[in-house]
Amino acid sequence: MVVLAASIVNKSGKVLVTRQYVDMSRIRIEGLLAAFPKLVGMGKQHTYIETENVRYVYQPIEALFLLLVTTKQSNILEDLDTLRMLSKLVPEYSMSLDEDGIVNAVFELIFAFDEVISLGHKESVTVAQVKQYCEMESHEEKLHKLVMQSKINDTKDVMKRKANEIDKSKIEKTRGDLKGGFSSMSSLGSARLDNSYNDLSMPGGRGFGSGSDFSMISDAEPINTKAKDRSRSSVTAPLKSIGMKLGKTGKNQLMESLKAEGEDIIEDVKPTGQTRASAPPPTDPFTLTVEEKLNVALKREGGISSFDMQGTLSLQILNQEDGFVQVQIETGGNPEILFKTHPNINRELFNSESILGLKRPDQPFPTGQGGDGVGLLRWRMQRADESMVPLTINCWPSPSGGDIYVSLEYEASSMFDLTNVIISVPLPALRDAPNVKQCDGDWRYDSRNSVLEWSILLIDNSNRSGSMEFAVPSVDSSVFFPISVQFAATSTYSGLKVNGMIPLRGDGGATPRFVQRTQLVAQNYQVI
């Protein structure tokens, strides 16, 4: 064995964290760690101490010591490399390098130590890999969340039933109070009240006090009859106020108590037509959509790792009887772009005259209103140089003291005007937002996912380049990658344009009216 134990102790020998990689008794490891501060001399520049049985390889961390207890036969160079890796991990998991910070992060540190050291030997891992391994999803955690969500849903169902029961009981109580009030007032022998009572009688000879007929009246819609006298208005007024109160019952106490305990309560909201509709319904007879999707991986040192552009042309027809048409298009003539028609499209007609028409002209195009339309043409481009990339990102991490300063720069090609640009940079887990020194645009810190989002509403000739600078506590520079980018543009690589619609039926009059929508989107755009 090489590494016997990895530990963090204070200068008086108090053990804060220790992880043994061999079978050792508690008394022995405590004795070894308690003897270490007595062996450390003042003013010495050594990083190891040897005794008769073991070797201590250590490194000061402010007021603490990070040390490895190894055998005397171990390779000290490998031990120093292991110690350096552990010293990088301690600030990643401990918010402060003091006793309180170490004790609060003791389990995270043990898990991280286990990823670096296996059976006493160092594993070939980086800081980013250790963080990834420690943060992997847990099946038990997912199961626990599902169980909790199921309990919340059951509680909401019980809550709704209880609320309905309370509402019904209040209605019954109100109904009984009104009936009792009428009985007591009818015993007074007031003819004026009897007349009012008869005026409010329901068809069939049953009066207002009848429970079966009263249940037909909606709580939110009280009786809309003019009061004939003061006694009648005094009877109907309480019914109106109670009915409106029951009809607009708001949050109840059970929901509030669940929210106060930190549970995520999802309200039941009925979807409306506007929220479900992803795009407005077509109003023109013909709608043609040209869309290109980019899948690009850029190297952080510069250059392109992979490039793939896929484009589609789809047709959406408002009325089925207008489907007897052909589409006249014009391409940009880029030799790198390969076009492929739908199997039902006349390939020879497209190659010779750039016209998209069905192989059987007696059949109409389908309407295609269930989605984005009917696909007519596809194309693809898989080779491009760096000058043809819409947006390049440069990331320059620079360590300085206890922090690392990151400079981000973007450069946009003059080929495209980009909209809704979002550059997402992964960050280490931070308690507070990063210290942003300068930013061309807007920024937002997503603390849940530890991502810094840099957004630019529009990139055109006025701002083809921009920069952003921020600082975070010192970490490995690989943490900031991969950088993800999202954007859209109204121009495309293919330059495909619809020149017109050719009707196959009718008197050959004016060209049918159509609208063309063109969009270039970044589907998977990263700097790796």
Side-chain angles (χ1 to χ4, degrees), residues 313-356:
L313 170 64
S314 57
L315 171 64
Q316 200 168 11
I317 302 175
L318 190 61
N319 300 315
Q320 180 69 47
E321 57 271 14
D322 297 334
F324 296 94
V325 292
Q326 292 178 339
V327 184
Q328 176 73 51
I329 66 171
E330 177 184 348
T331 61
N334 190 338
E336 297 292 338
I337 298 179
L338 302 177
F339 291 91
K340 186 176 182 180
T341 59
H342 191 276
N344 292 335
I345 297 296
N346 190 334
R347 179 77 178 179
E348 290 75 14
L349 182 63
F350 170 72
N351 292 334
S352 60
E353 302 181 31
S354 297
I355 294 177
L356 296 171

Side-chain angles (χ1 to χ4, degrees), residues 9 29 85 147 244 260 262 278 364 386 393 396 406 459 478:
V9 300
I29 188 63
M85 175 60 68
V147 172
M244 292 299 289
S278 59
E386 195 171 3
I393 307 295
W396 297 89
V406 181
I459 297 180
S478 61

Side-chain angles (χ1 to χ4, degrees), residues 265-409:
I265 305 299
I266 301 175
E267 298 289 345
D268 291 335
V269 181
K270 295 182 180 179
T272 61
Q274 294 181 353
T275 58
R276 288 180 295 184
S278 59
T283 57
D284 294 280
F286 301 95
T287 302
L288 293 111
T289 303
V290 179
E291 184 179 38
E292 292 184 351
K293 297 180 180 180
L294 279 178
N295 292 276
V296 178
L298 303 176
K299 299 178 182 179
R300 65 184 71 176
E301 298 86 5
I304 301 177
S305 177
S306 63
F307 181 94
D308 184 23
M309 182 276 293
Q310 298 182 15
T312 57
L313 170 64
S314 57
L315 171 64
Q316 200 168 11
I317 302 175
L318 190 61
N319 300 315
Q320 180 69 47
E321 57 271 14
D322 297 334
F324 296 94
V325 292
Q326 292 178 339
V327 184
Q328 176 73 51
I329 66 171
E330 177 184 348
T331 61
N334 190 338
E336 297 292 338
I337 298 179
L338 302 177
F339 291 91
K340 186 176 182 180
T341 59
H342 191 276
N344 292 335
I345 297 296
N346 190 334
R347 179 77 178 179
E348 290 75 14
L349 182 63
F350 170 72
N351 292 334
S352 60
E353 302 181 31
S354 297
I355 294 177
L356 296 171
L358 294 175
K359 291 180 179 178
R360 297 182 57 182
D362 58 334
Q363 289 184 347
F365 281 108
T367 57
Q369 294 186 17
D372 295 333
V374 178
L376 305 181
L377 187 66
R378 291 181 181 177
W379 58 93
R380 192 170 188 178
M381 183 173 69
Q382 293 183 292
R383 292 187 300 174
D385 54 25
E386 195 171 3
S387 62
M388 298 182 65
V389 174
L391 193 68
T392 57
I393 307 295
N394 296 321
C395 180
W396 297 89
S398 302
S400 177
D403 295 334
I404 183 167
Y405 292 83
V406 181
S407 297
L408 281 175
E409 295 179 346

Side-chain angles (χ1 to χ4, degrees), residues 423-438:
I423 303 171
S424 301
V425 183
L427 299 181
L430 302 175
R431 177 182 298 176
D432 301 319
N435 184 13
V436 177
K437 306 291 185 180
Q438 182 266 336

